[in-house]
Amino acid sequence: MKGLRSVGILSTGSYTPEKILTNADLEKMVDTSDEWIVSRTGIRERRIASDDQASSDLAYEAAVKALQKANISAEQLDMIIVATVTPDHSFPSTACILQDKLGASKAAALDVSAACTGFIYGITIATQFIANGLYRYVLVIGVEALSKITDYTDRNTCVLFGDGAGAALLGPVASDKGFKSFDLGADGSGGKLLSVAAGGSRNPATAETLEQKMHYLSMSGKEVFKFAVRVMNNATETVLSQAGYEKNDIDLLVPHQANQRIIDSAVKRFGLSEDKVVVNLDRYGNMSSASIPVALDEAVNEGRVKDGDKLVLVGFGGGLTWGAAVLVWGTEEYVE
Ligand code: UT7
């Protein structure tokens, strides 16, 4: 990004609801077993939002933590981007609701719909605004209340998903730090493989759509699995080569947390040791757009991310979509 400002992550924050749904709980709800879930996915438990918690409530908690950590007030924000497939409403956007809750009076606000890749799409969009000098501080949040669109009688999906929110405050950093490359992609021909069929303008809500459970998330797991392995590895290779790095340069891989077996394929392909990969899906399941920012925040809090470390963030999911970024870690704001 020659001639443009270098952009990085100044701080992170995350929030997951208190209620825990374990594999043992699910054994009582559908025909499944802890053994099947752990061996096929790696998931042991997930967090579930309470009845009165919507996505904006989860996002708010994560946002406040990120702002506090950077010592930036909500009034200083230039833009809020919320990546979610479980917005509070069709509109107003969840970003607008959050803007009001935070009191971010001068911030523009918009939602991004790119499913599990939403956070990567969000940081890529945010970076352009800061790099070209239009904005200084952009808050990007991946948040999902997937439990609200999950059919807890369908064992194919209900064991997989959880709720949570992760936030990242983006701003200018020194030129040797920050994002070095991005790769975004989409293949809309695979849209039906992972979707919510009703509730939009194609199939508006009717008694019939409700009866047919068309407001719940559905997924063709096997097809999405194959797609995920392919694009995750390809996108990682693309951003590494664009940044001029080799696989041995990766200090930390922060992948979307959908399935341990998908993560393992990347670990093998890039020859990574366990300490170079962030995994938290055992505790949270698949939180779609929240997976990557929550994993990143936890890694930061555990001291696993050091100044100058080269991170790869990579996601894939509904759309179908995928995206990756190389980030050289450094949270010190660059002041011209
Ligand atoms: O975040 C967005 C991207 N999403 C993903 O990346 C998810 C990608 N897909 C996956 O992670 C995996 O495909 C799943 C975990 C969803 C499924 O694993 P799988 O190894 O692909 O299993 P499968 O769908 O082929 O099902 C194998 C068997 C089936 O039984 P039959 O037909 O062989 O008798 C399923 O009915 O396992 C059965 N099954 C279950 N059994 C116990 C499916 N779900 C369950 C369950 N408990 N919860």
Side-chain angles (χ1 to χ4, degrees):
M1 293 197 287
K2 279 204 181 83
L4 298 172
R5 266 200 313 204
S6 195
V7 180
I9 291 181
L10 305 180
S11 67
T12 57
S14 66
Y15 171 79
T16 52
E18 274 172 34
K19 186 179 167 195
I20 295 175
L21 183 68
T22 65
N23 291 352
D25 296 329
L26 284 160
E27 282 177 350
K28 293 178 206 132
M29 297 159 69
V30 289
D31 179 15
T32 191
S33 65
D34 177 57
E35 196 281 326
W36 191 95
I37 301 171
V38 173
S39 64
R40 304 309 293 162
T41 71
I43 301 166
R44 293 179 187 277
E45 56 187 47
R46 57 295 285 144
R47 300 299 177 100
I48 305 294
S50 60
D51 289 346
D52 62 354
Q53 272 180 322
S55 285
S56 68
D57 302 312
L58 313 187
Y60 176 81
E61 302 294 334
V64 166
K65 286 186 194 164
L67 290 173
Q68 279 172 352
K69 223 190 268 180
N71 202 19
I72 296 289
S73 72
E75 290 85 5
Q76 290 173 274
L77 288 176
D78 296 301
M79 187 180 226
I80 297 172
I81 298 176
V82 171
T84 188
V85 292
T86 49
D88 288 22
H89 311 281
S90 299
F91 72 94
S93 69
T94 303
C96 280
I97 296 167
L98 182 63
Q99 185 245 11
D100 179 48
K101 275 188 207 219
L102 288 170
S105 48
K106 74 165 184 178
L110 79 152
D111 283 5
V112 167
S113 177
C116 308
T117 322
F119 181 74
I120 304 288
Y121 267 72
I123 56 175
T124 309
I125 296 167
T127 296
Q128 313 314 311
F129 283 102
I130 302 166
N132 72 20
L134 186 64
Y135 292 149
R136 187 165 190 89
Y137 300 121
V138 182
L139 187 64
V140 181
I141 292 152
V143 57
E144 303 293 357
L146 290 169
S147 63
K148 315 267 181 180
I149 58 164
T150 297
D151 177 359
Y152 285 97
T153 65
D154 174 14
R155 71 174 182 176
N156 291 300
T157 52
C158 74
V159 302
L160 304 173
F161 300 105
D163 302 338
L169 177 68
L170 272 64
V173 294
S175 59
D176 58 335
K177 301 284 167 56
F179 290 104
K180 298 300 166 198
S181 57
F182 293 103
D183 179 42
L184 297 180
D187 176 5
S189 71
K192 286 198 174 137
L193 296 177
L194 180 46
S195 69
V196 175
S201 58
R202 177 64 62 196
N203 297 306
T206 62
E208 203 187 347
T209 60
L210 272 181
E211 197 197 333
Q212 291 178 13
K213 299 185 168 187
M214 289 167 68
H215 304 86
Y216 289 130
L217 183 161
S218 71
M219 179 169 73
S220 304
K222 259 204 173 12
E223 282 79 11
V224 176
F225 187 97
K226 281 185 235 154
F227 155 81
V229 169
R230 178 167 50 85
V231 297
M232 179 171 170
N233 290 324
N234 289 350
T236 300
E237 257 163 25
T238 301
V239 286
L240 280 177
S241 92
Q242 277 174 5
Y245 297 146
E246 310 269 329
K247 61 182 183 183
N248 294 342
D249 292 318
I250 301 175
D251 293 305
L252 200 65
L253 179 75
V254 189
H256 173 47
Q257 310 278 316
N259 190 313
Q260 184 65 51
R261 292 183 289 141
I262 297 173
I263 296 174
D264 288 345
S265 80
V267 166
K268 204 166 151 207
R269 172 90 159 253
F270 297 101
L272 300 169
S273 54
E274 234 174 60
D275 60 315
K276 291 194 170 181
V277 186
V278 185
V279 175
N280 66 8
L281 91 168
D282 51 328
R283 288 175 290 127
Y284 301 125
N286 180 346
M287 298 185 288
S288 187
S289 68
S291 280
I292 293 172
V294 171
L296 177 63
D297 184 52
E298 290 194 340
V300 170
N301 293 340
E302 288 162 12
R304 292 180 68 183
V305 190
K306 312 234 162 31
D307 210 55
D309 275 0
K310 298 181 184 79
L311 276 63
V312 174
L313 316 181
V314 58
F316 49 82
L320 299 170
T321 55
W322 64 90
V326 164
L327 169 65
V328 178
W329 191 253
T331 55
E332 192 175 331
E333 183 180 345
Y334 178 74
V335 183
E336 292 86 353

